[in-house]
Amino acid sequence: MKLPIYLDYSATTPIDPRVAEKMIQCMTPDGNFGNPASRSHAFGWHAEEAVEEARKNVAALVNCDPREIVWTSGATESDNLAIKGAAQFYQKKGKHIITCKTEHKAVLDTCRQLERDGFEVTYLAPETNGLIDLKKLEAAIRDDTILISIMHVNNEIGVIQDIEAIGEMTRPRKIIFHVDAAQSAGKVAIDLQKAKVDLMSFSAHKIYGPKGMGALFVRRKPRIRLEAQMHGGGHERGMRSGTLATHQIVGMGEAFRIAKEEMATENERFRALRDRLLNGFKDMEEVYINGDMEHRITGNLNISFNYVEGESLLMALKDLAISSGSACTSASLEPSYVLRALGRDDELAHSSLRFTIGRFTTEEEIDYTIEQVRKNVDKLRELSPLWDMYKDGIDLKSIQWAAH
Amino acid sequence: MAYSEKVLEHYENPRNVGTMDKDDNHVGTGMVGAPACGDVMKLQIKVNDDGVIEDAKFKTYGCGSAIASSSLLTEWVKGKTLEEAGQIKNTEIAEELALPPVKIHCSVLAEDAIKAAIDDYQTKKK
């Protein structure tokens, strides 16, 4: 077993060696290095073929038409293009947008920018399990609502929103529905023939493809129009100019092809590993799972060890690559906005760890993780005055703490 | 985030972890911070009749820098008079542990903790 152990697959994944192999074939003088936009020679034609093959593979995973896939530099760009592009194009119809407080910053900050540009945004609070109450969503819809943006799977807690049900709400009202699927593609079955989603963002590096590569699904029927955010040579039907990065695109295509083939068996394996991890903590006191366990991707476990601060725990777990919702891991000093939006007490947010399991995780690694976490939680609780108070039966909420 | 050697050393081997009887007249207890902010420090000092701190114990809920700050503080206050201990500045702690700007509040908390412990002891004496 090699240390440190990587359990942060929601942050990024390594490129699958099969993907890397394909990418390398599109770089060097002997390879398929041409500009896919070159129409006058075989280098261009071959590159274009590879790009279109990749487009088919991406489309196949989510059951859409390849012509509905627009290449981008990543899910952040896809989110920007979808939200700004749709808002700008349809602003004459209305200027109201609905999203959720637990969205990725690529959606939230894009919405903030639109607010500065005169749009009005409703940020829905999720329920305590991280899921959106569809009735509350419906109640937030107004006559001037033009766009709803809801992520499929949350990056921190892994919960899966019911995008099919939301699509049933938006389509009859002719509201554009954007879904950030960066964390769901390849992990949850997506059928864009069924789900009435109009725009969907994808990332390559979350499913063993290269970083710096993504795609946006733009529905053709009914046709969704976007104001381009990147102007130039008119690539990608004018929606996103810029020379296509053949090797990156081929990498994303191969990653999506493998995901389609292996998703079902992989999910079974992840579930077993995740349950093994969770079972390893079951008999510990004051352990809380963040987010719904049923509507959740198999590879995610977000858990709070009460009375232990997350960053100090991460420091102790130096052989584990995991992340914490504690403020201290970032420069902001605010604990995870996602956990706060669930109504979690700040101390529980500060005590949270996110484990994300992936393609190369082994049972042995999970067992080692359990052992390390248990040992260090115990050690830090021995150091914690809050643990003492809990053991003495003192209600921490009864104490007047001085916020600082 | 990269930690300094000294923070790591205190974190790995925290000094003077423990609890004293808070009802003992020779013991002063200071508890500062808030769970919601991600750090709580409890510092206890045992003071002899000459006003010298004979022993110090701490427990801290917080990041590595908070734990290191309190551990260091217990080392520093031992053998000092109350007056001397009350003059320890957060900047000295921050400097000794090479805390980055985002962790300065940990050293501030440590300074607050010793002041609170001294206050508690003196209130008891009255």
Side-chain angles (χ1 to χ4, degrees), chain A residues 214-234:
Chain A
L216 179 66
F217 157 80
V218 184
R219 189 174 287 282
R220 287 163 67 92
K221 280 180 197 161
R223 187 167 179 218
I224 302 300
R225 311 279 301 272
L226 296 177
E227 200 75 59
Q229 303 297 308
M230 188 75 78
H231 301 94

Short mmCIF file of all heavy atoms in Angstrom, two decimals, chain A residues 214-234:
data_model
loop_
_atom_site.label_atom_id
_atom_site.label_comp_id
_atom_site.label_asym_id
_atom_site.label_seq_id
_atom_site.Cartn_x
_atom_site.Cartn_y
_atom_site.Cartn_z
N GLY A 214 -13.81 20.46 -20.60
CA GLY A 214 -15.20 20.27 -20.21
C GLY A 214 -16.11 20.36 -21.41
O GLY A 214 -15.64 20.45 -22.56
N ALA A 215 -17.40 20.32 -21.15
CA ALA A 215 -18.36 20.43 -22.24
C ALA A 215 -19.66 21.00 -21.70
O ALA A 215 -19.92 20.95 -20.50
CB ALA A 215 -18.62 19.06 -22.88
N LEU A 216 -20.42 21.57 -22.62
CA LEU A 216 -21.76 22.04 -22.26
C LEU A 216 -22.75 21.41 -23.23
O LEU A 216 -22.57 21.48 -24.45
CB LEU A 216 -21.84 23.57 -22.35
CG LEU A 216 -23.22 24.17 -22.00
CD1 LEU A 216 -23.56 23.94 -20.53
CD2 LEU A 216 -23.26 25.66 -22.32
N PHE A 217 -23.77 20.77 -22.67
CA PHE A 217 -24.87 20.26 -23.48
C PHE A 217 -25.83 21.42 -23.72
O PHE A 217 -26.24 22.10 -22.77
CB PHE A 217 -25.57 19.12 -22.73
CG PHE A 217 -27.00 18.86 -23.14
CD1 PHE A 217 -27.28 18.13 -24.29
CD2 PHE A 217 -28.05 19.35 -22.37
CE1 PHE A 217 -28.61 17.90 -24.67
CE2 PHE A 217 -29.37 19.12 -22.74
CZ PHE A 217 -29.66 18.40 -23.89
N VAL A 218 -26.15 21.66 -24.98
CA VAL A 218 -27.10 22.73 -25.33
C VAL A 218 -28.20 22.08 -26.17
O VAL A 218 -27.95 21.62 -27.28
CB VAL A 218 -26.43 23.86 -26.15
CG1 VAL A 218 -27.41 25.00 -26.41
CG2 VAL A 218 -25.19 24.39 -25.43
N ARG A 219 -29.39 22.02 -25.62
CA ARG A 219 -30.48 21.28 -26.26
C ARG A 219 -30.88 21.90 -27.61
O ARG A 219 -30.93 23.12 -27.76
CB ARG A 219 -31.69 21.20 -25.32
CG ARG A 219 -32.78 20.27 -25.83
CD ARG A 219 -33.91 20.09 -24.84
NE ARG A 219 -33.55 19.26 -23.68
CZ ARG A 219 -33.48 17.92 -23.71
NH1 ARG A 219 -33.72 17.27 -24.84
NH2 ARG A 219 -33.17 17.26 -22.63
N ARG A 220 -31.15 21.01 -28.57
CA ARG A 220 -31.60 21.45 -29.89
C ARG A 220 -33.11 21.44 -30.01
O ARG A 220 -33.66 22.21 -30.80
CB ARG A 220 -31.00 20.54 -30.96
CG ARG A 220 -29.50 20.77 -31.19
CD ARG A 220 -28.88 19.62 -31.93
NE ARG A 220 -29.37 19.51 -33.30
CZ ARG A 220 -28.80 20.08 -34.36
NH1 ARG A 220 -27.72 20.81 -34.18
NH2 ARG A 220 -29.29 19.93 -35.56
N LYS A 221 -33.78 20.51 -29.30
CA LYS A 221 -35.24 20.45 -29.38
C LYS A 221 -35.85 20.40 -28.00
O LYS A 221 -35.75 19.34 -27.35
CB LYS A 221 -35.66 19.20 -30.17
CG LYS A 221 -35.57 19.37 -31.66
CD LYS A 221 -36.01 18.11 -32.36
CE LYS A 221 -35.53 18.13 -33.81
NZ LYS A 221 -35.53 16.81 -34.40
N PRO A 222 -36.51 21.42 -27.51
CA PRO A 222 -36.61 22.75 -28.12
C PRO A 222 -35.25 23.45 -28.13
O PRO A 222 -34.44 23.26 -27.21
CB PRO A 222 -37.59 23.47 -27.20
CG PRO A 222 -37.48 22.77 -25.89
CD PRO A 222 -37.17 21.35 -26.21
N ARG A 223 -35.06 24.25 -29.12
CA ARG A 223 -33.75 24.85 -29.31
C ARG A 223 -33.44 25.93 -28.27
O ARG A 223 -34.24 26.83 -28.03
CB ARG A 223 -33.69 25.49 -30.70
CG ARG A 223 -32.32 25.98 -31.04
CD ARG A 223 -32.21 26.30 -32.49
NE ARG A 223 -30.88 26.79 -32.78
CZ ARG A 223 -30.64 27.76 -33.65
NH1 ARG A 223 -31.62 28.31 -34.32
NH2 ARG A 223 -29.40 28.16 -33.85
N ILE A 224 -32.28 25.80 -27.67
CA ILE A 224 -31.85 26.77 -26.66
C ILE A 224 -30.77 27.65 -27.29
O ILE A 224 -29.83 27.16 -27.89
CB ILE A 224 -31.28 26.05 -25.42
CG1 ILE A 224 -32.33 25.10 -24.82
CG2 ILE A 224 -30.79 27.05 -24.39
CD1 ILE A 224 -33.60 25.75 -24.36
N ARG A 225 -30.92 28.94 -27.15
CA ARG A 225 -29.96 29.88 -27.73
C ARG A 225 -29.11 30.48 -26.60
O ARG A 225 -29.59 30.67 -25.49
CB ARG A 225 -30.69 31.01 -28.47
CG ARG A 225 -31.77 30.53 -29.43
CD ARG A 225 -31.18 30.08 -30.75
NE ARG A 225 -30.44 31.16 -31.40
CZ ARG A 225 -30.98 32.05 -32.23
NH1 ARG A 225 -32.27 32.01 -32.51
NH2 ARG A 225 -30.22 32.97 -32.80
N LEU A 226 -27.87 30.76 -26.92
CA LEU A 226 -26.97 31.35 -25.93
C LEU A 226 -26.22 32.52 -26.56
O LEU A 226 -25.89 32.49 -27.74
CB LEU A 226 -25.91 30.32 -25.49
CG LEU A 226 -26.37 29.08 -24.75
CD1 LEU A 226 -25.17 28.18 -24.48
CD2 LEU A 226 -27.06 29.45 -23.44
N GLU A 227 -25.95 33.51 -25.75
CA GLU A 227 -25.06 34.59 -26.15
C GLU A 227 -23.63 34.08 -25.90
O GLU A 227 -23.31 33.66 -24.79
CB GLU A 227 -25.34 35.81 -25.25
CG GLU A 227 -24.90 37.13 -25.79
CD GLU A 227 -25.79 37.65 -26.91
OE1 GLU A 227 -26.99 37.84 -26.70
OE2 GLU A 227 -25.24 37.87 -28.00
N ALA A 228 -22.80 34.07 -26.93
CA ALA A 228 -21.43 33.56 -26.76
C ALA A 228 -20.68 34.41 -25.75
O ALA A 228 -20.92 35.62 -25.62
CB ALA A 228 -20.70 33.57 -28.10
N GLN A 229 -19.79 33.77 -24.99
CA GLN A 229 -18.97 34.51 -24.03
C GLN A 229 -17.54 34.62 -24.53
O GLN A 229 -16.75 35.39 -24.01
CB GLN A 229 -18.99 33.79 -22.67
CG GLN A 229 -20.39 33.59 -22.10
CD GLN A 229 -21.11 34.89 -21.81
OE1 GLN A 229 -20.56 35.76 -21.13
NE2 GLN A 229 -22.31 35.04 -22.33
N MET A 230 -17.20 33.78 -25.50
CA MET A 230 -15.84 33.78 -26.06
C MET A 230 -15.98 33.98 -27.56
O MET A 230 -16.61 33.16 -28.23
CB MET A 230 -15.19 32.43 -25.76
CG MET A 230 -13.72 32.35 -26.09
SD MET A 230 -12.70 33.21 -24.91
CE MET A 230 -12.67 32.04 -23.56
N HIS A 231 -15.47 35.10 -28.06
CA HIS A 231 -15.64 35.40 -29.48
C HIS A 231 -14.37 35.13 -30.26
O HIS A 231 -13.27 35.20 -29.71
CB HIS A 231 -16.08 36.85 -29.65
CG HIS A 231 -17.35 37.16 -28.94
ND1 HIS A 231 -17.39 37.67 -27.67
CD2 HIS A 231 -18.64 36.96 -29.30
CE1 HIS A 231 -18.64 37.80 -27.27
NE2 HIS A 231 -19.43 37.37 -28.24
N GLY A 232 -14.52 34.79 -31.51
CA GLY A 232 -13.35 34.50 -32.32
C GLY A 232 -13.74 33.81 -33.61
O GLY A 232 -14.62 34.27 -34.33
N GLY A 233 -13.11 32.67 -33.85
CA GLY A 233 -13.26 31.98 -35.13
C GLY A 233 -14.58 31.28 -35.36
O GLY A 233 -14.76 30.63 -36.39
N GLY A 234 -15.48 31.41 -34.43
CA GLY A 234 -16.81 30.83 -34.63
C GLY A 234 -16.86 29.32 -34.49
O GLY A 234 -17.75 28.66 -35.03
#
